[in-house]
């Protein structure tokens, strides 16, 4: 049998296997997306009851992403760009949602604010969390400061960790290896016994990596590889004291040792490295009343970044260390069958530890929202927030989000809101350009769109447009100052279709902006496009592929310090998963190839090109 005949027979066989699954696939009951409860609104709403633009990365998607990192997964979502996401794995990452810089996207873990007071922007480092420790992810786009306060200007990413498990004890894990001598292992234990549940997991990742810096054009120098190793522990416990009262403590620890280079086109010494450490602990407590619920969240978090570097042969060391304590107390009350009330207070105390001084700031807030839902075809959310900061004083935010279900299949939605970001400790007290007179950055946000849901989500389509005007933006000139204004606008198109064993979803996103002195955005392309196609070929075999296009954008040439246009590039991924007996053991293969990416010679970010990851997941009960 020749090669062409073999391919034909194999293709017909695969098609027959897929078709044979049609009857079973149509009979299976599944939780519809519109019925998924969104915890990030602090009101446990169904997606069908809110006018917010929400994206859910489900547990199923995460289980089929074992070869990816958290930045990889987020960058596949409409309107989200991860700066540095497709360069060296060890390079620091920034989240750009709808054109906004990294400091305007707030990361939550289990609904609790994450912040690094030691960093310039105060943002959570995406490298600190493995997807093996995540159950699912909720993404709320647009201004969310009414509920979550500072930094929630362009959106909120709520990472829900794995918790509990079946009765008894279960051991689960992932073991994988891939390109650049990359090895990863996760081991976890979970279970539930008489009102006590737990989920404890540990992840170790090591890679030789590639050089973080690119070799200058025309140079024959060979730069050494900049690998890293990380260790992460995540532990969640659930204690049900009675039928109404539960306490859920947590503990997390992360350690990462990253080799770094001296500059965009300059190799570093073998001793150059950055050591990241994060520790956080706290609890969530809930007390259920007849028609209400009281929730208390507490978190202590400490972050440090110990950088050992050299410039022109002179070694130096920089240690950035910060702490934050978060208390969030809120109350939910049902006022009948169609009206819910949320009221709460939160307090965040941040501390920056330096060699010479240990400055602190504190921000207290009180907030409230009313949720009117399922009133004929109408839903409405209205909320406000009062903030008091110990440096700049007071400010306020509000949010109004109506939605109308014209018919079962069509929903119109919109939001008018304000949001803000407080000056970070480095901006107020740091060694370079500190300014105690800084005001908070403020934004006025507008959003509108339509959602189509045909035949119980066999076909869905979401169209959303947005506009964001930012005032008092903080920039660095000879020091930190509040700049006049920045303006952003754009839209997103997100279709999805399910047919038999196939599912296809995609997006197109457009964004443009004016940052006051520039009429373009740095590192944020105007046009991005993505499509993902998957098929449950048999009960045991799942295959998928996704393609992403990133358009032309500007970035800074680190040799001339001028902005240059970078060419567009494409990213192609393929994933195969095969489940063994009883589906408790699964083999997977994930491959990624960056196509037409040529910017390393301009800005000095090296890129891996083709790489792969293959391994096994297991679950033993």
């Amino acid at each position: 049998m020749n090669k062409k005949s073999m391919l034909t027979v194999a293709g017909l066989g695969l098609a027959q296997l897929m078709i044979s699954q049609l009857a079973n696939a149509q009979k299976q009951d599944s939780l519809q997306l519109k019925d998924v409860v969104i915890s990030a609104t602090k009101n446990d709403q169904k997606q069908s009851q809110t006018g917010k633009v929400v994206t859910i990365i489900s547990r199923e998607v995460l289980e089929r992403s074992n070869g990816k990192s958290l930045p990889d997964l987020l960058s596949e979502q409409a309107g989200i760009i991860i700066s540095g996401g497709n360069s060296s794995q060890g390079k620091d990452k920034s989240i750009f949602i709808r054109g906004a810089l990294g400091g305007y996207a707030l990361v939550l873990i289990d609904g609790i604010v994450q912040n690094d007071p030691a960093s310039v922007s105060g943002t959570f480092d995406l490298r600190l969390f493995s997807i093996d420790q995540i159950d699912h992810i909720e993404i709320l786009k647009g201004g969310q400061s009414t509920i979550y306060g500072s930094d929630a200007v362009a959106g909120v990413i709520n990472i829900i960790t794995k918790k509990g498990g079946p009765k008894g004890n279960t051991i689960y894990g992932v073991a994988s290896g891939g390109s650049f001598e990359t090895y990863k292992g996760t081991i976890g234990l979970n279970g539930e016994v008489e009102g006590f549940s737990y989920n404890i997991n540990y992840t170790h990742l090591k890679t030789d990596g590639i050089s973080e810096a690119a070799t200058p054009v025309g140079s024959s120098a060979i730069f050494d590889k900049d690998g890293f190793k990380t260790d992460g522990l995540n532990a969640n416990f659930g204690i049900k004291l009675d039928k109404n009262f539960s306490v859920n403590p947590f503990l997390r620890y992360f350690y990462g040792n990253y080799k770094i280079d001296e500059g965009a086109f300059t190799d570093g010494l073998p001793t150059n490295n950055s050591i990241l450490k994060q520790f956080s602990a706290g609890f969530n407590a809930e007390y259920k009343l007849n028609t209400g619920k009281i929730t208390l969240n507490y978190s202590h978090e400490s972050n440090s970044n110990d950088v050992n570097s050299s410039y022109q042969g002179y070694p130096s060391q920089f240690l950035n260390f910060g702490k934050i304590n978060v208390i969030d107390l809120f109350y939910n009350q049902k006022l009948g069958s169609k009206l819910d009330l949320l009221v709460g207070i939160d307090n965040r105390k941040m501390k920056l530890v330096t060699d010479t001084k240990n400055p602190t700031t504190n921000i207290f807030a009180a907030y409230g929202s009313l949720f009117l839902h399922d009133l004929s075809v109408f839903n409405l959310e209205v909320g406000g927030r009062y903030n008091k900061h110990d440096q700049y004083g007071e400010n306020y935010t509000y949010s109004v989000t109506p939605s109308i279900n014209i018919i079962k299949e069509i929903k119109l939605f919109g939001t008018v809101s304000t949001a803000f970001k407080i000056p970070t400790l480095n901006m107020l007290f740091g060694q370079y350009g500190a300014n105690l007179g800084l005001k908070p950055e403020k934004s006025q946000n507008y959003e509108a769109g339509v959602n189509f849901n045909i035949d119980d989500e066999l076909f869905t389509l979401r169209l959303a447009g947005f506009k964001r005007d930012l005032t008092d933006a903080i920039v660095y000139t000879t020091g930190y100052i509040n700049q006049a204004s920045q303006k952003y606008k754009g839209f997103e198109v997100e279709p999805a279709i399910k047919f038999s064993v196939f599912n296809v979803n995609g997006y197109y996103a457009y964004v443009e902006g004016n940052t006051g002195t520039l009429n373009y955005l740095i590192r944020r392309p105007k046009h991005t496009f993505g499509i993902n196609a998957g098929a449950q070929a048999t009960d045991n075999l799942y295959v998928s592929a996704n393609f992403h296009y990133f358009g032309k954008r500007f970035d800074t040439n680190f040799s001339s310090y001028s902005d240059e246009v970078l060419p567009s590039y494409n990213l192609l991924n393929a994933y195969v998963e095969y489940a063994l007996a009883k589906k408790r053991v699964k083999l997977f293969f994930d491959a990624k190839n960056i196509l037409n990416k040529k910017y390393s010679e301009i800005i000095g970010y090296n890129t891996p090109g083709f790489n792969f990851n293959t391994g096994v997941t297991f679950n033993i009960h």
Side-chain angles (χ1 to χ4, degrees):
M1 184 180 292
N2 60 32
K3 183 177 180 181
K4 183 175 180 181
S5 299
M6 291 177 65
L7 290 173
T8 301
V9 172
L12 290 173
L14 181 60
Q16 183 178 6
L17 286 169
M18 289 181 173
I19 294 171
S20 69
Q21 304 302 311
L22 176 58
N24 290 334
Q26 289 179 332
K27 292 178 182 179
Q28 290 176 350
D29 292 328
S30 61
L31 184 64
Q32 300 296 310
L33 184 62
K34 66 180 184 298
D35 296 323
V36 172
V37 174
I38 306 162
S39 62
T41 62
K42 290 189 178 179
N43 194 48
D44 293 342
Q45 291 174 279
K46 294 179 180 179
Q47 189 162 348
S48 59
Q49 296 173 332
T50 179
K52 295 181 183 294
V53 177
V54 181
T55 298
I56 306 292
I57 303 177
S58 67
R59 177 186 300 180
E60 181 183 34
V61 171
L62 281 155
E63 289 177 347
R64 290 171 175 167
S65 303
N66 286 295
K68 300 175 183 177
S69 65
L70 180 56
D72 289 335
L73 195 60
L74 291 175
S75 65
E76 294 176 0
Q77 312 308 312
I80 298 181
I81 300 292
I82 306 297
S83 176
N86 292 321
S87 55
S88 170
Q89 280 192 65
K91 180 168 176 51
D92 56 301
K93 317 296 180 185
S94 297
I95 312 170
F96 297 163
I97 298 182
R98 290 180 167 178
L101 287 169
Y104 305 114
L106 182 64
V107 175
L108 315 171
I109 297 181
D110 295 326
I112 299 178
V113 169
Q114 304 299 299
N115 189 285
D116 181 4
S119 70
V120 173
S121 62
T123 54
F124 177 77
D125 194 323
L126 290 176
R127 296 174 295 177
L128 299 180
F129 223 84
S130 169
I131 63 169
D132 302 330
Q133 299 175 347
I134 301 173
D135 182 83
H136 65 281
I137 301 173
E138 302 170 341
I139 302 172
L140 276 68
K141 296 176 187 172
Q144 308 297 331
S145 283
T146 296
I147 294 179
Y148 285 106
S150 177
D151 298 14
V153 174
V156 164
I157 297 173
N158 188 22
I159 298 170
I160 311 297
T161 60
K162 292 180 176 178
K163 300 180 186 65
K167 291 188 180 297
N169 300 299
T170 300
I171 298 175
Y172 64 91
V174 180
S176 66
S179 305
F180 316 115
E181 299 296 319
T182 300
Y183 303 98
K184 180 181 179 181
T186 294
I187 186 73
L189 180 66
N190 64 16
E192 180 180 344
V193 181
E194 296 181 356
F196 175 75
S197 63
Y198 64 94
N199 196 314
I200 304 171
N201 50 67
Y202 164 76
T203 298
H204 175 76
L205 172 61
K206 181 182 181 299
T207 181
D208 287 350
I210 62 174
S211 174
E212 189 176 272
T215 306
V217 176
S219 172
S220 59
I222 300 176
F223 288 1
D224 65 350
K225 297 177 180 179
D226 297 310
F228 64 89
K229 60 180 180 179
T230 64
D231 296 278
L233 173 69
N234 183 66
N236 289 293
F237 306 93
I239 305 169
K240 196 170 182 62
L241 300 176
D242 61 37
K243 65 178 182 179
N244 296 320
F245 187 32
S246 63
V247 180
N248 308 287
F250 67 85
L251 175 71
R252 291 189 292 271
Y253 177 76
F254 176 88
Y255 172 89
N257 189 335
Y258 302 85
K259 291 185 178 179
I260 58 175
D261 279 326
E262 202 54 56
F265 298 99
T266 307
D267 198 15
L269 297 176
T271 54
N272 281 18
N273 71 341
S274 171
I275 298 177
L276 296 178
K277 295 180 182 179
Q278 187 208 46
F279 170 79
S280 61
F283 64 87
N284 158 267
E286 290 186 356
Y287 187 80
K288 296 180 180 179
L289 305 171
N290 185 31
T291 57
K293 180 176 68 173
I294 300 172
T295 303
L296 173 63
N297 291 324
Y298 169 75
S299 173
H300 167 81
E301 179 184 343
S302 64
N303 295 272
S304 69
N305 186 6
D306 188 359
V307 180
N308 296 277
S309 185
S310 60
Y311 181 72
Q312 296 180 348
Y314 295 97
S316 59
Q317 183 178 25
F318 303 96
L319 176 61
N320 299 309
F321 183 73
K323 297 180 180 181
I324 178 172
N325 289 283
V326 177
I327 298 176
D328 187 13
L329 174 67
F330 57 95
Y331 173 65
N332 299 92
Q333 176 64 51
K334 290 187 176 297
L335 305 174
S337 61
K338 299 184 182 298
L339 185 63
D340 301 335
L341 171 68
L342 165 69
V343 292
I345 56 173
D346 78 30
N347 192 81
R348 304 175 198 177
K349 185 174 183 178
M350 292 156 279
K351 182 176 183 179
L352 177 65
V353 179
T354 67
D355 293 335
T356 57
K357 53 186 176 180
N358 303 319
T360 63
T361 59
N362 192 87
I363 183 167
F364 168 83
Y367 57 91
S369 292
L370 280 171
F371 303 84
L372 178 66
H373 54 84
D374 301 322
L375 183 62
S376 181
V377 298
F378 189 63
N379 301 287
L380 177 67
E381 302 170 36
V382 180
R385 185 183 187 95
Y386 162 79
N387 308 280
K388 183 172 177 58
H389 191 272
D390 61 0
Q391 292 296 324
Y392 68 73
E394 301 174 339
N395 69 296
Y396 306 85
T397 60
Y398 70 87
S399 177
V400 181
T401 303
S403 62
I404 302 173
N405 295 293
I406 299 177
I407 56 175
K408 178 183 177 183
E409 293 81 9
I410 302 177
K411 180 174 74 172
L412 299 177
F413 58 85
T415 296
V416 178
S417 67
T418 56
F420 73 104
K421 177 177 174 60
I422 63 175
T424 66
L425 283 164
N426 270 291
M427 295 172 180
L428 294 170
F429 304 101
Q431 300 179 46
Y432 307 102
N435 180 1
L436 278 173
L438 291 172
K439 298 180 290 185
E441 302 175 82
K442 301 174 184 177
S443 73
Q444 179 74 52
N445 312 294
Y446 306 93
E447 187 176 88
V450 58
N451 190 81
F452 298 92
N453 177 357
I454 309 300
D455 200 8
D456 283 333
E457 297 186 355
L458 288 182
F459 174 76
T460 62
L461 174 65
R462 182 167 66 194
L463 308 173
F466 64 90
K467 185 176 183 291
R468 181 175 61 254
D469 296 336
L470 188 71
T471 57
D472 293 325
I474 299 175
V475 298
Y476 188 91
T477 53
T478 55
Y480 288 105
I481 61 170
N482 288 102
Q483 192 185 53
S485 66
Q486 298 179 2
K487 298 181 182 297
Y488 305 83
K489 61 182 178 181
F491 65 89
E492 298 150 1
V493 182
E494 299 176 79
I497 187 170
K498 299 175 184 177
F499 173 71
S500 180
V501 296
F502 300 95
N503 60 82
V504 181
N505 58 75
Y507 72 85
Y508 168 74
Y510 173 85
V511 63
E512 65 177 40
N514 183 319
T515 61
T517 57
L518 303 173
N519 61 0
Y520 53 83
L521 300 176
I522 297 292
R523 300 182 187 172
R524 288 149 284 177
K526 282 187 176 182
H527 308 278
T528 55
F529 166 81
I531 185 169
N532 180 80
Q536 190 70 51
T538 71
D539 281 344
N540 296 329
L541 177 64
Y542 178 82
V543 295
S544 69
N546 63 61
F547 172 83
H548 295 274
Y549 166 82
F550 299 84
K552 294 180 180 179
R553 66 262 181 238
F554 286 86
D555 209 331
T556 302
N557 185 319
F558 288 97
S559 294
S560 63
Y561 289 95
S562 61
D563 295 336
E564 298 192 24
V565 177
L566 302 183
S568 62
Y569 68 94
N570 306 310
L571 181 65
L572 180 64
N573 285 5
Y575 180 84
V576 179
E577 178 184 275
Y578 185 79
L580 302 180
K582 296 183 179 180
K583 297 186 180 181
R584 291 180 178 174
V585 178
K586 297 180 182 179
L587 306 176
F588 68 87
F589 178 81
D590 183 87
K592 178 169 71 173
N593 192 23
I594 299 174
L595 309 172
N596 306 328
K597 193 164 186 182
K598 303 175 182 178
Y599 70 63
S600 61
E601 64 185 42
I602 299 176
I603 63 171
Y605 291 165
N606 211 351
T607 57
F610 174 80
N611 64 87
F612 70 92
N613 203 309
T614 185
V616 59
T617 70
F618 61 89
N619 193 312
I620 304 171
H621 183 63

